């Protein structure tokens, strides 16, 4: 299997490494290890402080690449096939109860999008697949050919923020009525009939994004993952998340704000009655974005947003 050209171009790499300068030691977890680019830099920067590394990914092909790439490190390494939404359970199986740092690099990897047979990109002809975990059953083919027009319109609007969602959904239903839509190029041609030429690439990206999110249940997974990550962080532990579209980044921003605030009482309450204390403190006041030079080197970095928090000491804040 050929390695993608941008295998060695992880997004916001230097910025992510700087956020882990306060890493308290212990286990380091990459919940979306992909091809191991961020993990490689973190293991090098934190040498001597990492008790063990765990790389988790839904994609077995990515785990194979990462394990080969990181094999030179003396740090004990473990690679786990699974969904980061189950991180506490996956780590418990490994005998790990607390970790000093967690990185989540969301979205689709180059290994997935650059291979036509994975079906993630409208730019490459391939089967309608889009499964990050190829052992799961639901694929893009199922969504495109079996969802109702309303269901298709809803996911295009909610997960892709597609402007003409209902019309595009109707076009897909009409096209598949003749024969099933099996490949990415035919889906792209079908959708393009309802998109003005000046917006075609951007809207096609949104359509494919929406279907991919539905296939992989990405937003629900992210919500569960954020809750679980904060719970398993050791005191002083770092959680850093890189998001690539507004839906993900909004979820990360809101979850971190809630963890920072702690109290969930209505705004009008003069005194806190819920008793919930802040769980974390911010390491990033605003999302860190890539600079122009990084975007020139790697166009896929353009939409990236990096946010991070540090776990407060449980005894000090009573949480």
């Amino acid at each position: 299997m050929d390695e993608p050209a941008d295998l060695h171009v992880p997004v916001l790499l230097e910025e992510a490494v700087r956020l882990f300068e306060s890493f308290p030691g212990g286990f380091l977890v990459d919940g979306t290890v992909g091809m191991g680019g961020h993990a490689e830099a973190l293991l090098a920067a934190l040498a001597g402080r990492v008790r063990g590394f765990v790389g988790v990914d839904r994609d077995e092909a990515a785990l194979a690449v990462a394990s080969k790439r990181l094999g030179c490190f003396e740090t004990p390494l473990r690679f786990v096939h699974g969904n980061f939404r189950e991180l506490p359970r996956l780590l418990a199986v490994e005998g790990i109860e607390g970790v000093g740092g967690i990185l989540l690099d969301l979205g689709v990897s180059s290994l997935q999008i650059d291979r036509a047979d994975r079906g993630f990109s409208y730019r490459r002809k391939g089967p309608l697949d889009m499964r990050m975990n190829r052992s799961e059953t639901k694929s893009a083919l199922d969504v495109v050919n079996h969802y109702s027009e309303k269901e298709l319109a809803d996911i295009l609007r909610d997960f892709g923020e597609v402007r003409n969602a209902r019309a595009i959904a109707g076009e897909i239903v009409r096209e598949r009525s003749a024969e099933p839509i099996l490949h990415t190029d035919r889906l792209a041609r079908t959708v393009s009939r309802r998109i003005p030429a000046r917006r075609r690439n951007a809207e096609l990206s949104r359509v494919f994004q929406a279907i991919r999110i539905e296939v992989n249940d990405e937003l629900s997974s992210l919500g569960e993952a954020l809750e679980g990550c904060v719970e398993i962080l050791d005191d002083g532990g770092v959680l850093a998340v890189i998001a690539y579209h507004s839906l993900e980044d909004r979820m990360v921003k809101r979850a971190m704000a809630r963890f920072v605030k702690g109290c969930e009482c209505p705004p009008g309450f003069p005194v806190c009655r819920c008793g919930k204390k802040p769980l974390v403190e911010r390491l990033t006041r605003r999302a860190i974005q890539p600079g122009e030079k990084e975007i020139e080197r790697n166009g896929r970095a353009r939409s990236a947003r990096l946010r991070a928090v540090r776990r407060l000491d449980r005894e000090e804040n009573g949480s």
Side-chain angles (χ1 to χ4, degrees):
M1 179 177 63
D2 294 334
E3 294 179 343
D6 57 355
L7 172 61
H8 301 292
V9 192
V11 173
L12 292 169
L13 182 62
E14 294 180 5
E15 294 84 351
V17 170
R18 279 199 297 271
L19 289 170
F20 280 86
E21 288 177 354
S22 63
F23 176 73
F27 285 96
L28 176 67
V29 175
D30 191 331
T32 51
V33 70
M35 292 174 286
H38 287 101
E40 181 180 51
L42 287 170
L43 285 169
L46 303 176
R49 288 193 278 164
V50 181
R51 177 182 169 191
F53 171 82
V54 182
V56 178
D57 208 283
R58 302 171 73 170
D59 193 330
E60 291 182 289
L63 288 173
V65 173
S67 62
K68 180 179 178 181
R69 182 174 189 168
L70 303 177
C72 60
F73 288 97
E74 295 182 359
T75 303
L77 307 174
R78 310 184 203 186
F79 296 92
V80 178
H81 181 223
N83 190 329
F84 63 7
R85 77 193 307 166
E86 299 181 303
L87 206 51
R89 183 187 67 80
L90 295 174
L91 294 178
V93 170
E94 299 293 318
I96 301 171
E97 295 183 355
V99 300
I102 303 172
L103 175 69
L104 303 179
D105 182 15
L106 308 176
V108 64
S109 73
S110 298
L111 180 65
Q112 294 160 341
I113 203 167
D114 288 337
R115 290 189 54 181
D117 67 313
R118 300 299 298 270
F120 283 93
S121 175
Y122 70 89
R123 297 179 184 274
R124 294 171 174 81
K125 180 180 178 179
L128 277 175
D129 192 333
M130 300 193 195
R131 291 172 298 168
M132 292 180 177
N133 181 351
R134 302 189 85 173
S135 66
E136 294 179 352
T137 56
K138 184 167 72 173
S139 70
L141 186 146
D142 301 307
V143 173
V144 169
N145 289 285
H146 300 302
Y147 275 35
S148 69
E149 182 175 333
K150 182 182 184 305
E151 288 171 327
L152 284 171
D154 287 346
I155 67 168
L156 293 177
R157 182 187 64 249
D158 296 342
F159 297 161
E161 300 176 307
V162 176
R163 297 185 186 184
N164 202 18
R166 180 51 67 90
I168 290 172
E171 194 68 35
I172 291 172
V173 170
R174 281 189 290 276
E175 179 72 11
R176 78 190 191 193
S177 65
E179 59 179 321
I181 301 173
L182 304 180
H183 294 90
T184 55
D185 60 333
R186 185 169 167 222
L187 176 62
R189 289 196 303 271
T190 300
V191 169
S192 293
R193 291 199 287 266
R194 291 290 183 167
I195 302 174
R198 68 183 183 279
R199 299 203 316 263
R200 188 154 296 156
N201 288 341
E203 289 296 290
L204 278 171
S205 294
R206 290 174 180 271
V207 168
F208 272 64
Q209 169 189 297
I211 296 171
R212 187 202 82 216
I213 290 173
E214 172 66 15
V215 168
N216 296 286
D217 196 21
E218 292 177 40
L219 297 183
S220 293
S221 295
L222 175 58
E224 293 179 28
L226 293 170
E227 298 287 341
C229 285
V230 170
E231 289 303 316
I232 60 176
L233 275 180
D234 292 332
D235 292 351
V238 176
L239 168 63
V241 185
I242 304 174
Y244 292 88
H245 57 76
S246 59
L247 299 175
E248 288 177 339
D249 185 54
R250 195 176 304 132
M251 286 186 68
V252 174
K253 179 181 179 180
R254 289 175 178 173
M256 288 184 172
R258 181 161 47 83
F259 300 148
V260 168
K261 182 181 178 184
C263 174
E264 297 180 354
C265 293
F269 275 34
V271 179
C272 174
R273 295 183 180 179
C274 72
K276 293 187 177 181
K277 304 294 184 181
L279 301 176
V280 301
E281 64 180 0
R282 298 183 194 276
L283 292 178
T284 53
R285 293 193 63 185
R286 294 185 178 86
I288 298 173
Q289 302 180 39
E292 293 182 6
K293 289 184 179 180
E294 178 170 5
I295 293 172
E296 288 176 5
R297 294 194 307 269
N298 180 12
R300 293 177 186 171
R302 183 180 303 278
S303 61
R305 302 291 184 270
L306 169 61
R307 301 180 188 271
V309 292
R310 187 184 76 89
R311 188 64 157 92
L312 293 172
D313 291 350
R314 287 166 172 79
E315 290 186 3
E316 291 183 9
N317 74 348
S319 61

